[in-house]
Every structure is written in C-alpha cells, then in structure tokens.
C-alpha cells in the first residue's frame, strides 16, 4: 500500500533533503513549495501525513494545518525556524501533532515521520485487525464523555472537543483500558509505537494539554486521574 506524504517547503535544499530521506523509507513524497498549490492537493490527494513549513509563499503553514484539520485526521508535523512559533504550534487550536525546529537532523525527522505514521495506521487502518475490531467497540460513552473511533470525534457533555490525533489516541487508549491503571510507559509505547525512555515527559505534557481541553481541574480531575508513581486511569 502506498503511503503518501505531503511535503510543503519552499527552501529547495531542505525540500530535497526531506525527499531523499523519506523516499528512501519507501514513502511517496508529494512536494510543493507554494502554500496555495499545496492547499489544492490537500483537497484532491489522500495523504497519510503532512510536513509543513510555516513561512511559505501565498498561504502559510499554520493556515494549511488548520485547513487539513477541518476535514482530515492524518498526522501533521510542522517545520519551524522560529522559537516563537512553537507556542502557536503546540497551542490548543492548531492541531499539529509534532514539530521540528530548523536546522534539524534528517534522521530524526525520518524517525518522527515513521512514528507518527505507525500511530496513525494503528488507529485508523483497522482492516488489518478485523478480528480484533469486530469485538471491540467503536465508541465509548460514559459520565458525559463520548468518544467515537469511527469518525474520530469526542464530545464532553455534548460539546465537541477539538483534539489532535495524538490526544485522541491517548484518550481512546485510556477509555479502552477503563478501570485499569495505565503506566506512562505503556501509554507511550501504545500510542507512539516507540520504546519508552526514562525521564520522558512527553506523556505528561500531552495528558496536561488533554486535561486543559477537557476543562479538568488540575488538583481533582474528573476523568483522567493520576495514580502517583504508577500512571493514569479513567474510572
Ligand atoms: Ca519557508
């Protein structure tokens, strides 16, 4: 099966480098150096992942990311040269899954692309796991929280939450394991599909953002509870 990756980058050298590395991984790279042309392709091509530079001619990477999120939930990785942009990228509204600051190591970029693709495919291309899927529910609905894997929507007390695909995957995994305590390590390996390293704050940071979106009280969260020294649980 072809994996289509959208690469929007107007610096030729960087775009060439990305293309070489990703093509080497067997990915089908669709390159654009102009935001407007990239936007057209978003509407016509079924991408599995997008890599977006921020400063682009005509339409910038922020806008592209938002336009992708209006209709799709494939992973988006932003490329930025400016530290100031990171707040916006990791903010609540944009919906990017990861970012790389320039200059970056192409091997690290490749690793992140592969990790996002693994996660995305695990949660979305369910035909590979039909036996498992048929016995697993497509949605959970409890205590005011409704989460649906079919359409990737999540509602809290009837109000839709705008979750990034990563946040969705975390919440889904916790719901699947409702009543059990899930360690940071297990969560990381399940959602990111990578080995967990010690002192990894990634899980904590994402849980924090998820709780923020759910309007959870830091001291007494209603849904995602912290079990100190062990992990997280939804009761
Ligand atoms: Ca640029």
């Amino acid at each position: 099966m072809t994996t289509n990756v959208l690469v929007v980058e107007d610096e030729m050298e960087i775009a060439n480098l990305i293309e070489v590395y990703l093509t080497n991984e067997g990915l089908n790279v669709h390159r654009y150096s102009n935001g407007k042309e990239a936007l057209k392709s978003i509407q016509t091509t079924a991408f599995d992942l997008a890599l977006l530079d921020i400063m682009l001619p005509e339409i910038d990477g922020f806008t592209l990311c938002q336009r992708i999120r209006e209709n799709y939930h494939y992973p988006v990785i932003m490329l930025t040269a400016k530290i100031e942009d990171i707040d916006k990228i990791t903010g609540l509204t944009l919906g990017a899954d990861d970012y790389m600051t320039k200059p970056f190591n192409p091997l690290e970029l490749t690793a992140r692309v592969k990790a996002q693709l693994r996660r995305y495919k695990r949660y979305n291309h369910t035909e590979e796991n039909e036996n498992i899927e048929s016995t697993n529910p497509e949605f959970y609905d409890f205590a005011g929280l409704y989460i649906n894997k079919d359409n990737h929507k999540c509602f809290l007390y009837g109000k839709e939450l705008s979750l990034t695909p990563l946040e969705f995957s975390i919440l889904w995994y916790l719901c699947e394991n409702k009543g059990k305590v899930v360690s940071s390590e297990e969560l990381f390996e399940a959602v990111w599909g990578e080995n967990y390293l010690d002192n990894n704050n990634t899980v904590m940071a994402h849980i924090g953002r998820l709780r923020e979106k759910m309007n959870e009280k830091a001291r007494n969260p209603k849904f995602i509870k912290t079990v100190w020294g062990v992990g997280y649980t939804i009761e």
Side-chain angles (χ1 to χ4, degrees):
M1 206 173 82
T2 322
T3 302
N4 291 309
V5 176
L6 171 67
V7 175
V8 193
E9 169 60 82
D10 59 334
E11 284 167 72
M12 278 308 159
E13 275 180 37
I14 297 178
N16 287 341
L17 194 67
I18 294 173
E19 184 171 16
V20 166
Y21 275 81
L22 296 190
T23 305
N24 193 38
E25 293 294 331
L27 304 175
N28 193 12
V29 173
H30 301 246
R31 253 175 80 168
Y32 296 90
S33 56
N34 173 299
K36 205 170 169 183
E37 284 164 24
L39 184 59
K40 271 189 227 155
S41 77
I42 287 166
Q43 286 143 359
T44 53
T45 312
F47 291 116
D48 297 283
L49 182 140
L51 264 174
L52 310 174
D53 181 30
I54 290 173
M55 297 297 287
L56 292 163
E58 299 200 79
I59 295 176
D60 70 20
F62 289 132
T63 310
L64 287 178
C65 181
Q66 280 166 331
R67 297 299 294 274
I68 289 172
R69 278 292 166 266
E70 285 168 11
N71 292 304
Y72 307 99
H73 52 261
Y74 52 78
V76 175
I77 301 176
M78 307 294 290
L79 303 172
T80 179
K82 286 197 295 183
I83 299 296
E84 309 90 82
D85 284 337
I86 291 171
D87 280 349
K88 194 167 175 191
I89 294 169
T90 58
L92 299 181
T93 51
L94 199 62
D97 298 280
D98 202 357
Y99 64 88
M100 294 286 295
T101 48
K102 296 178 188 179
F104 52 81
N105 177 342
L107 284 172
E108 175 161 13
L109 180 74
T110 309
R112 298 227 193 156
V113 165
K114 284 166 69 183
Q116 290 291 342
L117 283 171
R118 263 200 307 276
R119 179 187 58 75
Y120 176 60
K121 296 201 167 184
R122 175 171 314 175
Y123 279 86
N124 298 284
H125 294 237
T126 50
E127 65 270 22
E128 291 161 27
N129 302 312
E130 250 168 45
N131 299 337
I132 304 167
E133 287 309 311
S134 61
T135 54
N136 281 354
E138 291 301 314
F139 68 89
Y140 292 99
D141 188 2
F142 44 78
L145 177 69
Y146 174 84
I147 182 165
N148 187 320
K149 196 163 120 178
D150 234 13
N151 58 14
H152 255 246
K153 284 188 187 293
C154 177
F155 293 86
L156 190 63
Y157 304 120
K159 191 167 173 279
E160 186 170 1
L161 296 179
S162 145
L163 301 182
T164 67
L166 206 54
E167 289 159 355
F168 184 92
S169 301
I170 291 170
L171 194 57
W172 180 263
Y173 192 81
L174 290 173
C175 288
E176 266 185 319
N177 291 282
K178 183 168 174 276
K180 283 188 252 170
V181 179
V182 178
S183 69
S184 299
E185 183 177 358
E186 180 185 344
L187 196 57
F188 188 82
E189 289 181 356
V191 172
W192 277 260
E194 284 174 53
N195 286 334
Y196 182 83
L197 302 170
D198 273 350
N199 301 318
N200 187 328
N201 289 324
T202 313
V203 171
M204 204 171 72
H206 280 85
I207 293 270
R209 290 227 307 274
L210 195 49
R211 280 177 174 155
E212 231 173 276
K213 288 188 182 178
M214 297 171 78
N215 274 318
E216 292 262 70
K217 290 192 185 76
R219 276 160 192 265
N220 186 22
K222 183 171 188 292
F223 291 98
I224 306 173
K225 313 233 184 215
T226 302
V227 182
W228 293 109
V230 189
Y232 302 96
T233 187
I234 286 189
E235 286 167 350

